[in-house]
Amino acid sequence: MQSDPRLIAALDFPTAEAAKQAVEEIGDAVAYYKVGMELYYAAGNDMIRFLKERGKKVFLDLKLQDIPNTVASALKVETKLGVDMINVHAVGGKKMMEAAARAVKEKAEELGIERPRLIAVTILTSMDEAQFADLNYKNTIAEQVLALAKLARDAGLDGVVACPQEAEAILSACGPDFLFVTPGVRPAGSALDDQSRVTTPAQAFANGSSHIVVGRPIMKAENRKEAAEAIVEEIRIF
Ligand code: C5P
């Protein structure tokens, strides 16, 4: 069965060995992997090279936030790794995001490679209204997510990571080409784990997502390849 580049499988593992084993098991059922903080701090660029040698796309999910110059410099290094998608926190502000977008574009042009897509994290989905209130923003979470998505678009970013319930408002404000990467995806009948606002793979695309990020439903399945293939099949008609 053909893989689907809109499915991004999260390699949330503490060691390179565990992650590499998962990639070998899944084989050609997944074309796009997400490497987050845990695996990147454990396995570093060797993991990125391993995935690239196998022809996989890579979303390097390090969620950067610092002063504009520092973020821009770090993103130049990430761009040089040849990854396909990278991200920053939108709360770093417009100047930080503009510097980030400029750095990625310039570095990719200098190297003559395709520019990695740069997306923003708005408000973490682990944040509930009570915790959010402690931060003293004047908006609700939904209003704040939308405001940050628009700021990211105005700064020249390619899209956002956000939960599916936010898709309609964000895509109508930011346009249908704005990337909408959705975590918290659970095929019908699978465990919720610690995700609370979940959607099925099919619903996520029906809502306008451009990509879904799926971790445990694949990585903790008895047969990881079959679990990935079932998701590819479910989203085929979208
Ligand atoms: O195992 P599960 O499918 O819940 O994994 C989802 C992945 O997406 C994890 O790597 C998690 O860190 C990430 N993520 C998330 N919610 C966000 C942003 C990223 O679950 N808002």
Side-chain angles (χ1 to χ4, degrees), residues 53 85 109 186:
E53 278 165 15
M85 196 183 285
E109 278 170 7
R186 291 291 176 271

Side-chain angles (χ1 to χ4, degrees), residues 10 12 34 61 63 125 161 183-186 195 213-217:
D12 293 326
K34 180 172 91 69
D61 177 24
K63 299 187 175 71
T125 45
V161 186
V185 173
R186 291 291 176 271
Q195 298 283 14
V213 175
V214 184
R216 286 160 291 184

Side-chain angles (χ1 to χ4, degrees), residues 118-181:
L118 178 61
I119 62 175
V121 178
T122 56
I123 300 295
L124 295 171
T125 45
S126 53
M127 185 73 69
D128 56 24
E129 293 288 352
Q131 281 191 82
F132 191 71
D134 293 339
L135 299 177
N136 275 315
Y137 288 114
K138 64 178 177 4
N139 290 333
T140 63
I141 291 182
E143 288 165 348
Q144 190 68 6
V145 166
L146 186 58
L148 290 171
K150 288 185 194 163
L151 194 67
R153 182 210 48 197
D154 292 347
L157 269 64
D158 299 298
V160 285
V161 186
C163 66
Q165 290 80 358
E166 292 155 358
E168 202 184 328
I170 290 177
L171 292 172
S172 57
C174 298
D177 294 337
F178 203 55
L179 297 180
F180 196 90
V181 179

Side-chain angles (χ1 to χ4, degrees), residues 184-199:
V185 173
R186 291 291 176 271
S190 67
L192 294 186
D193 306 304
D194 59 352
Q195 298 283 14
S196 48
R197 295 198 282 162
V198 300
T199 189

Side-chain angles (χ1 to χ4, degrees), residues 8 23 72 76 153 162 166 202-204 230:
I8 305 177
V23 172
K76 284 184 183 172
R153 182 210 48 197
E166 292 155 358
Q203 271 167 353

